Amino acid sequence: MRRFALILLGLVLLQTVGQAQTPGVGAWACSADNVSDAANILCIAASPGGQTRYITDVVSQSTTTTGGFFNIVSGASAPADPCSLSAGAGQTLYPNLGIGNAERFIAPPNNIRAAHFRPITPIRVPKGTDICVIGDANGNPVTVQLSGYAAP
Amino acid sequence: MKWRKAVPVLFLASLLAFLGYPWGDQPAQAQSFVPGPSWTCSLDAIGATLTRCALAPTGGDSGTKRFVTDIVAQSTTATAGQFILRTGTGTNCGTGTVSLFPSAATVIRFSAPGNGSAPTVISFRTPLEVPKDSDLCLLGVGTNTVTAQISGYLGF
């Protein structure tokens, strides 16, 4: 009877674990549209729960028939100055070359397939920081959609 | 005495049935990669008119939301078109329209490549979440119209 009770307990725990993996929990998505210059355009503010955001998907496309370069960065959360890199909390995320480097990855022209980066290891965003997109300064704005999840 | 031994077995079988144990007669579900009932919708040759692909879940699925895991898009001509996914209610998402992909835009942005090259294929690690009780629609472009297939699952 004791063995039977343990089996029952195990099944109940298995069911509980399954429910903990309900889709959508902690998931987030954001987008920055037609980012046309080197400004930091806010995609999403820091997680309000103090959790760490992880990026699982980066979809990018130029808004013209010429590719546009972009960077994804994070920085101190300040409404008037999202992703403030001057506060010392900022960093480049994609590519992670360090602040001050030129944009390197290209958002493809809008007449070929969009670029979709879906890293096996999600990109970790420093806790308490916004996520921003820095666009192309050469007249080929980019549209970027990011998604991921937040976790402690 | 035999009946007393059968009681735990019957109870266990009832519990497994309650928990949804497949019992071997639902191999497709057991092999599913999505955490909820799957769905697929497709639209053909969509021009510059926002057009519904999937209704908000109703009936037995009422209360669930659509999660988008995959998008395939291609122009119907040799020249690329572009598209945007939007959500809303009413005729062709015309009420309470909100952009989904890309969420920050209100106009077509992502490419549906010309039909002489591979389509745009996007399979999200983190699925897109369609707002509850909202339909899913696609806006394409005139002349170089867009054919798309969108799939995902229902969840909470």
Side-chain angles (χ1 to χ4, degrees):
Chain A
M1 201 60 188
R2 184 178 298 168
R3 187 181 302 164
F4 178 66
L6 285 172
I7 291 171
L8 280 182
L9 179 63
L11 286 169
V12 170
L13 285 176
L14 273 176
Q15 177 73 355
T16 304
V17 169
Q19 287 177 351
Q21 293 170 348
T22 298
V25 173
W28 58 269
C30 71
S31 178
D33 183 45
N34 207 26
V35 182
S36 60
D37 54 32
N40 290 343
I41 301 300
L42 179 66
C43 192
I44 192 167
S47 178
Q51 295 189 315
T52 299
R53 291 194 193 278
Y54 293 84
I55 300 172
T56 60
D57 299 86
V58 179
V59 184
S60 63
Q61 189 105 59
S62 168
T63 60
T64 74
T65 54
T66 302
F69 292 95
F70 71 102
N71 278 355
I72 300 170
V73 302
S74 73
S77 188
D81 184 16
C83 296
S84 172
L85 305 180
S86 59
Q91 70 174 63
T92 52
L93 298 173
Y94 179 79
N96 187 11
L97 295 173
I99 294 167
N101 281 277
E103 296 80 41
R104 288 296 182 212
F105 290 142
I106 198 159
N110 68 358
N111 55 5
I112 63 172
R113 55 193 302 178
H116 184 195
F117 175 54
R118 46 197 306 271
I120 299 296
T121 301
I123 300 170
R124 182 181 173 279
V125 181
K127 187 177 286 189
T129 60
D130 301 338
I131 302 173
C132 294
V133 175
I134 298 177
D136 189 301
N138 300 316
N140 299 299
V142 300
T143 293
V144 177
Q145 172 115 1
L146 309 178
S147 56
Y149 60 90
Chain B
M1 201 60 182
K2 285 181 181 176
W3 278 106
R4 288 190 64 183
K5 285 185 177 177
V7 167
V9 175
L10 287 172
F11 184 75
L12 181 61
S14 301
L15 182 68
L16 287 171
F18 175 75
L19 294 176
Y21 187 75
W23 294 118
D25 63 348
Q26 294 171 309
Q29 284 187 2
Q31 292 168 6
S32 175
F33 293 104
V34 295
S38 61
W39 59 271
T40 300
C41 70
S42 189
L43 293 169
D44 186 38
I46 302 303
T49 302
L50 189 60
T51 304
R52 187 173 65 207
C53 191
L55 277 166
T58 57
D61 295 321
S62 185
T64 64
K65 289 184 283 192
R66 291 191 189 279
F67 289 82
V68 176
T69 58
D70 302 273
I71 302 167
V72 183
Q74 183 105 57
S75 170
T76 57
T77 74
T79 303
Q82 292 83 33
F83 71 98
I84 182 172
L85 298 185
R86 309 194 80 189
T87 65
T89 59
T91 305
N92 291 322
C93 300
T95 303
T97 311
V98 175
S99 295
L100 181 72
F101 182 75
S103 59
T106 56
V107 296
I108 54 173
R109 287 299 186 208
F110 288 128
S111 174
N115 61 10
S117 63
T120 286
V121 179
I122 295 170
S123 296
F124 296 101
R125 287 201 188 279
T126 301
L128 298 176
E129 181 180 329
V130 178
K132 191 178 173 188
D133 299 325
S134 288
D135 303 337
L136 175 63
C137 296
L138 181 143
L139 176 65
V141 61
T143 307
N144 303 306
T145 58
V146 175
T147 293
Q149 172 128 343
I150 306 169
S151 56
Y153 60 88
L154 302 180
F156 293 95

